[in-house]
Amino acid sequence: MDELAPFRMLVTLAESVCAHIDAERWDELAQVQEEFGHRLAELHGPEPAGAGPLLQRAFDLHLQATRGLERHKAEILAELGGVQRGRTAAAGYAPTASVPAASVNHAA
C-alpha cells in the first residue's frame, strides 16, 4: 500500500474545500469538510518520509479556505448592513400616526 496515499487524499480534499468555497456551494462544502476531518483524524504515528510537503500543502489550502470563508462572511455582513440601512431609510418615508390638531382656547 502507498503510505503517502492518505496524505495525498488530504490535499485533494483540501483542494475540494477551496473549490466549493470559491463556487459558493455551501451545502456540499459541509460534506467535504467533514470528510477532510475524518481523514485527518485517521492519521496516527509518525508521518512517513515525503509526507511533509503534502501536509504543508494541505495546511496552506486550509488557510486559503479560511480566508475565503472570512471574505464571504464579510460580504454577507456588508450586504445585511445595506439591507438594514435601506430599511431605516425607508422607515423615514412611512406615514406618521395621526396627531389630533391642537386646540386653541380662545377664551383665555
Side-chain angles (χ1 to χ4, degrees):
M1 179 180 171
D2 179 9
E3 60 186 9
L4 294 179
F7 299 93
R8 281 195 280 283
M9 177 56 73
L10 278 182
V11 171
T12 300
L13 289 168
E15 289 169 341
S16 183
V17 166
C18 290
H20 282 73
I21 291 169
D22 291 342
E24 299 182 21
R25 293 190 312 256
W26 308 120
D27 292 338
E28 300 167 25
L29 174 63
Q31 292 174 308
V32 177
Q33 286 177 313
E34 186 175 335
E35 178 68 18
F36 181 88
H38 287 305
R39 296 293 179 120
L40 186 60
E42 291 173 353
L43 299 177
H44 299 288
E47 67 214 36
L54 294 170
L55 287 171
Q56 183 62 52
R57 176 72 177 140
F59 177 76
D60 292 342
L61 288 164
H62 179 72
L63 289 178
Q64 178 182 332
T66 300
R67 286 191 298 269
L69 287 172
E70 289 171 349
R71 185 183 72 250
H72 283 289
K73 177 184 171 185
E75 290 169 358
I76 290 168
L77 289 175
E79 184 177 333
L80 290 173
V83 167
Q84 183 59 39
R85 283 188 298 278
R87 284 185 180 165
T88 302
Y93 293 98
T96 58
S98 295
V99 177
S103 61
V104 176
N105 184 351
H106 293 286

